[in-house]
Amino acid sequence: MKVGLYFGSFNPIHVGHLLIASHVAESKLVDKVWFVISPQNPLKPSGSLLNEYDRLHLLNLAVEDDERFKVTDIEFRLPRPSYTIDTLVHLKEKYPQHEFVIILGGDSFQNILRWKNATILLDNYELIIYKRQGNNLPAVELNNNIKFLDAPLLEISSTAIRGCIQQRKSIRYMLPNKVRLEIEKNGYYK
């Protein structure tokens, strides 16, 4: 099976994430999309992160009814911070029957040369890049492993959602209703 790995903090998961994952799944470039929740991204500060198990729970709520998606907490059991190459090595050992593809936004792709073992990633793994407004391509040699996908994009971010919660503004329609209700019930991000 060809599995698209969609890495992220998902702090919290929102409709923009789900729209991209759905678009990748419908593109037939992969058979299934796995959401890989990162407990700590090495390129982002961890101070504003909700507890990883709470984020995992919200992500599971968001995708529980969609068989095209799976959530994995594989990075919870790996050394921190999480590096994509280490996760890929671990997943290949655990699931040798699968072929893994990396799904990432143009904004993340801009920083790929800062990633641990970036050359190995670029040479050995297929990347599906969904374009973002205003992103320039990094100075990497593009090869057959890199595929660009025009995906519908929403100007919604987890940062903006957390800001709305702190300002007591509505987050309705920005994330799945189950996720919104769970955030409100538990007072997350206040």
Side-chain angles (χ1 to χ4, degrees), residues 58-70:
L58 294 175
L59 186 50
N60 276 312
L61 282 176
V63 304
E64 68 185 354
D65 298 327
D66 196 328
E67 61 187 35
R68 301 171 303 165
F69 302 147
K70 176 183 173 175

Side-chain angles (χ1 to χ4, degrees), residues 146-162:
I146 300 172
K147 297 185 177 24
F148 291 94
L149 187 64
D150 285 319
L153 299 174
L154 298 175
E155 292 298 319
I156 294 177
S157 71
S158 297
T159 303
I161 291 170
R162 293 191 307 270

